[in-house]
Amino acid sequence: MDLGAITKYSALHAKPSGLILQYGTAGFRTKAEHLDHVMFRMGLLAVLRSKQTKSTIGVMVTASHNPEEDNGVKLVDPLGEMLAPSWEEHATCLANAEEQDMQRVLIDISEKEAVNLQQDAFVVIGRDTRPSSEKLSQSVIDGVTVLGGQFHDYGLLTTPQLHYMVYCRNTGGRYGKATIEGYYQKLSKAFVELTKQASCSGDEYRSLKVDCANGIGALKLREMEHYFSQGLSVQLFNDGSKGKLNHLCGADFVKSHQKPPQGMEIKSNERCCSFDGDADRIVYYYHDADGHFHLIDGDKIATLISSFLKELLVEIGESLNIGVVQTAYANGSSTRYLEEVMKVPVYCTKTGVKHLHHKAQEFDIGVYFEANGHGTALFSTAVEMKIKQSAKQLEDKKRKAAKMLENIIDLFNQVADRRVISTTNAERQAVTPPGLQEAINDLVKKYKLSRAFVRPSGTEDVVRVYAEADSQESADHLAHEVSLAVFQLAGGIGERPQPASDGEGTPH
Ligand code: 16G
Ligand code: ZN
């Protein structure tokens, strides 16, 4: 390690003294202007992690669905997964070290993790379309270079694309080519093969309106659409040519407001979907003939995918173990449907893709989705082959979608220090402050088919309140009452939480 060079370059990416940030649910996230030193240091850390794992490591510069002014960074481990938890701690230590302590922290990490500093390092970098992202990714590159790492800067990429590149590079090209072209080829081919088997083949089934949240998804889908040829025709909205990133559009907006994004007219039964700012979330929706809005969120996507796979397994007579992983945010009716009707075991983990992913790996087929639209299905390679062969011989059957009854509301609450709330049981129960869980239990008892929980956000300085019940009105009331309990028992600041006024479950 050339400590002299590190000190010199670090001074060019100086840390504002006293600033403390945490490697949260999906890396560091805050206002872009506070992140220069974090980026530089994550470049350094990526090199150490690459040396230690003797693999390519990814660095993604994005703040996902958060406002355009924010930014963030996360590291991607060799198999395209989120950074290992022990390294998240190193990331936090390194990001928060004052300038004079930086060298010591770097050496500590290297020693603790037995990093062979002579080993080569390779880091791949991607970024979203935020105005701050280009400069910040340059700071990552500075960090990589000063520690002697090699790098490839992919420039603008969606988050899933960066994960893909890392995985391809570490599996000798067996999974796919680590190029943008390779990504489009692999995914479009899989899509075309899958949809060939569908019985409904009219044009209306092949067109999709896509809200790109004014983000990177627009650029990449525009490149990708040629690969679908006749298989799919997409119409892009909120493509970044006018509006602001994630503003009044995107998956988060559509999910929390239960309505289409701005800038997209939808006719009845047209198929529509929304990405978030880095295109790793998706939710689908449509208006029925009566003009009612229907959202197919992560819960329903997981239900459809797992029902589809379960049926295939039954038809081909395979008894592989299939499991669905959700978080506390999953609508209770989706969990009941999966368990009681589909007879698929359902597991609940903490919020954040890494937790769901980890659990899903325990099954032959693991389907995981957060209600907000993050998710996928995981198969072992052997299972993938079996399903492909058998699926070809099968007639497609009509799929029944789960009917979701309950209404949900998801609010957030400002408290003086969100850490006064700690939780257990996959974030479904509050351990502290004392009395809060008891208060929630009493409130929940007042409503039918109801459920509520609170948790400190892992990405913002707020406490999130979730409630569901048999009607929207009850869900609104319950959410308000729980918010008041949080406000009273956890040191609420600012205005007392107000009841939902529009009856639409809009977050306040
Ligand atoms: C991050 C997570 C997302 C989670 C959200 C919760 C990833 C890639 N992203 O965006 O999965 O739902 O945080 O945010 O893991 P919260 O802690 O502020 O509620
Ligand atoms: Zn995202």
Side-chain angles (χ1 to χ4, degrees), residues 29 62-66 74 159-160 275-281 374:
R29 267 187 215 173
T62 181
S64 184
H65 63 287
N66 292 127
K74 64 182 163 200
T159 294
F275 295 148
D276 69 343
D278 59 339
D280 64 351
R281 291 187 189 191
H374 273 130

